[in-house]
Amino acid sequence: MPLNDYNLYMARKKSKKLLEDYMQTHGMDENAPRGPSSLEQVWGNDGTTRYNTLDADVYAARLADMTRVDLQREAQKRGIVPIEDGKKLRDRLIKEFKLYVGSLTMPPISKKEKKEIPADVLKTLREGQ
């Protein structure tokens, strides 16, 4: 192999990135206080009745303690088609849990500060009256 082809081969080999190496962000503060997103939340239902928690780590720990049969029963209860592969089923249940929690939370409402209008701008606006 000539030197140029070898360098090209090594460059391709080094530049190959895995999907896990990339990170995606949505730019929102997930720990910020959220407002209610449904009437049930306004009336006092915080959404914990479906999973008994809104913490993903607690739910993941609960799933880790379950057997494959328990995972399949949990999937049926949540409306997911149960599959034989326990890891994929566990991942799917966690994904559905996060979607449910995300549907209960609304992005925080940012309060806009009232800006003072400069005097020269007010003068210009009054000229049109």
Side-chain angles (χ1 to χ4, degrees):
M1 183 183 295
L3 185 60
N4 291 340
D5 291 341
Y6 178 75
N7 290 340
L8 183 62
Y9 170 74
M10 291 305 291
R12 285 184 191 157
K13 188 175 182 179
K14 288 180 185 176
S15 66
K16 185 176 181 181
K17 288 191 175 185
L18 299 175
L19 186 60
E20 293 84 24
D21 294 341
Y22 292 102
M23 190 172 109
Q24 183 177 359
T25 182
H26 49 67
M28 294 173 46
D29 182 14
E30 292 183 355
N31 297 327
R34 308 286 176 138
S37 63
S38 69
L39 284 176
E40 289 183 6
Q41 289 177 325
V42 172
W43 294 329
N45 182 4
D46 61 352
T48 58
T49 55
R50 183 169 180 184
Y51 288 96
N52 296 328
T53 185
L54 292 178
D55 188 7
D57 295 331
V58 172
Y59 186 65
R62 190 180 310 149
L63 291 178
D65 293 339
M66 291 184 180
T67 64
R68 185 175 50 87
V69 174
D70 293 335
L71 284 173
Q72 289 176 343
R73 190 175 302 123
E74 178 78 8
Q76 284 178 342
K77 188 194 294 185
R78 305 295 172 219
I80 300 171
V81 176
I83 58 174
E84 290 294 319
D85 188 6
K87 177 159 177 32
K88 285 185 180 180
L89 185 57
R90 189 174 287 118
D91 291 343
R92 177 66 193 267
L93 285 167
I94 291 172
K95 180 181 175 185
E96 290 295 324
F97 173 79
K98 288 181 180 179
L99 287 173
Y100 174 73
V101 171
S103 72
L104 294 175
T105 56
M106 186 175 87
I109 300 170
S110 60
K111 295 182 180 179
K112 296 182 179 179
E113 296 178 14
K114 188 174 182 180
K115 296 181 180 179
E116 286 292 323
I117 302 173
D120 58 336
V121 173
L122 287 174
K123 181 181 174 187
T124 305
L125 291 173
R126 283 192 204 111
E127 289 175 2
Q129 291 180 351

